[in-house]
DNA sequence: CCGTTTGAGTTGAAGCGTCAACCAATCGCG
DNA sequence: CGCGATTGGTTGACGCTTCAACTCAAACGG
């Protein structure tokens, strides 16, 4: 327990507190809207969105987990839920029996299309319209740098 | 279902995706370190930290909830856990029986002091050291603007 | 005063995420 | 070939957060 801790100075602390505040509040606000209007959480939405942009609206599980920024385990649970709602199908991949391919159904796609406007509106309200274009660019760069430190694999 | 949705353009989408990525990964990484090294999650840490900086190391519940960026219900559960670990005490406020005052115990304070260096190190590693001082300043401003939109009450 | 309303906090149930254990298929090396 | 290691994915239990219902105390209003 060496006492050479490099504490944060006042500026650093303020910045971190501000970020932490956003970290605590923004996800909840996003989830709230999605849950209320579409009975989805942000991660479920991301999964549907990622599938909708994939060739054949299909993707293998581990790919999809990376795309949606989650773990395979979390994805597995979520896909099970989405499957039971009829939004997604799962089938084993022929050429390698270990792999599972998830596919967005037509119902799932339609549901996503219905959910998207409300979600985009929230993203605008909370993020895009709250910032200038320059700030948005700064935020993009900053977010990527932080993400890169947190998760050195997967340089997006 | 009017079709006047203002979709995001490419730049906006990239920025949002970058932010969303950080939103998904950073909290988990922070929680992981705290959980592993101190059996605390980020919110519990914030509660202890907020108490430690309060006069008498005490604060009424609703105050504390705001300070730690959480709801009263969440706080109530968390304080119960922390109380059972001996880190916090609760007592009714004499002058108004509705109010509950939470106090950080000496054990809780010591525990926080032991947990702090590891936590600060992570904050440095993932955030402070990943950014230039200018970026950190930008992030502070941006985070506050977003938080203000999400939660118009409580201008911090 | 008494009844209603409001405010502060607690509680329990339900849902989601994490973690570790597990299963199944394939690879790879002796 | 054959068997251990590795990879991809699933599962169940547990813990935390949310949500709605509830309790209790104080304030208000006639």
């Amino acid at each position: 327990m060496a006492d050479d801790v490099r504490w944060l100075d006042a500026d650093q602390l303020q910045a971190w507190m501000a970020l932490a505040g956003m970290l605590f509040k923004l996800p909840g606000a996003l989830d709230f809207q999605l849950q209320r209007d579409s009975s989805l959480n942000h991660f479920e939405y991301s999964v549907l969105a990622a599938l909708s942009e994939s060739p054949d609206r299909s993707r293998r599980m581990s790919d999809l987990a990376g795309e949606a920024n989650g773990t395979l385990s979390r994805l597995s649970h979520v896909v099970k839920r989405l499957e039971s709602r009829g939004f997604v199908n799962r089938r084993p991949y022929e050429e390698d029996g270990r792999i599972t391919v998830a596919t967005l159904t037509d119902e799932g796609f339609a549901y996503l299309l219905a959910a998207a406007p409300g979600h985009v509106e929230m993203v605008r309200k909370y993020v895009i319209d709250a910032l200038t274009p320059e700030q948005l660019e700064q935020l993009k760069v900053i977010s990527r740098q932080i993400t890169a430190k947190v998760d050195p694999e997967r340089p997006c």
Side-chain angles (χ1 to χ4, degrees), chain A:
Chain A
M1 208 202 276
D3 222 335
D4 54 359
V5 183
R6 295 166 57 221
W7 299 102
L8 305 185
D9 66 35
D11 284 349
Q12 293 170 335
L13 190 61
Q14 279 183 24
W16 164 240
M17 286 309 205
L19 172 58
M22 181 181 75
L23 246 34
F24 275 122
K25 306 223 142 144
L26 184 51
L30 255 7
D31 277 339
F32 176 76
Q33 179 276 325
L34 275 171
Q35 196 72 54
R36 186 195 41 177
D37 297 344
S38 313
S39 299
L40 292 172
N41 63 32
H42 191 196
F43 185 66
E44 291 171 325
Y45 183 94
S46 302
V47 168
L48 295 182
L51 280 177
S52 78
E53 312 222 314
S54 305
D56 272 336
R57 290 185 197 155
S58 299
R59 207 112 172 169
R60 43 182 298 194
M61 294 293 282
S62 35
D63 254 27
L64 192 51
E67 196 79 12
N69 296 298
T71 64
L72 197 44
S73 171
R74 183 180 188 181
L75 180 67
S76 182
H77 285 295
V78 163
V79 167
K80 184 163 40 172
R81 297 199 295 266
L82 293 175
E83 196 172 31
S84 77
R85 293 221 253 165
F87 295 163
V88 167
N89 282 328
R90 261 189 296 193
R91 73 189 136 75
Y93 183 52
E94 299 88 4
E95 317 186 9
D96 186 338
R98 290 172 299 186
I99 292 173
T100 302
V101 177
T103 304
L104 188 63
T105 64
D106 290 346
E107 296 79 39
F109 189 64
Y111 200 84
L112 176 63
L113 284 187
H119 176 61
V120 170
E121 209 173 306
M122 282 304 110
V123 173
R124 267 195 188 286
K125 177 173 164 192
Y126 294 148
V127 180
I128 313 284
D129 291 350
L131 307 174
T132 66
E134 297 76 45
Q135 286 181 312
L136 200 57
E137 174 70 18
Q138 294 166 0
L139 180 57
K140 181 183 75 182
V141 174
I142 289 170
S143 297
R144 284 181 177 168
Q145 285 174 216
I146 292 178
T147 304
K149 290 284 184 181
V150 170
D151 186 7
E153 347 290 325
R154 223 183 95 71
C156 68

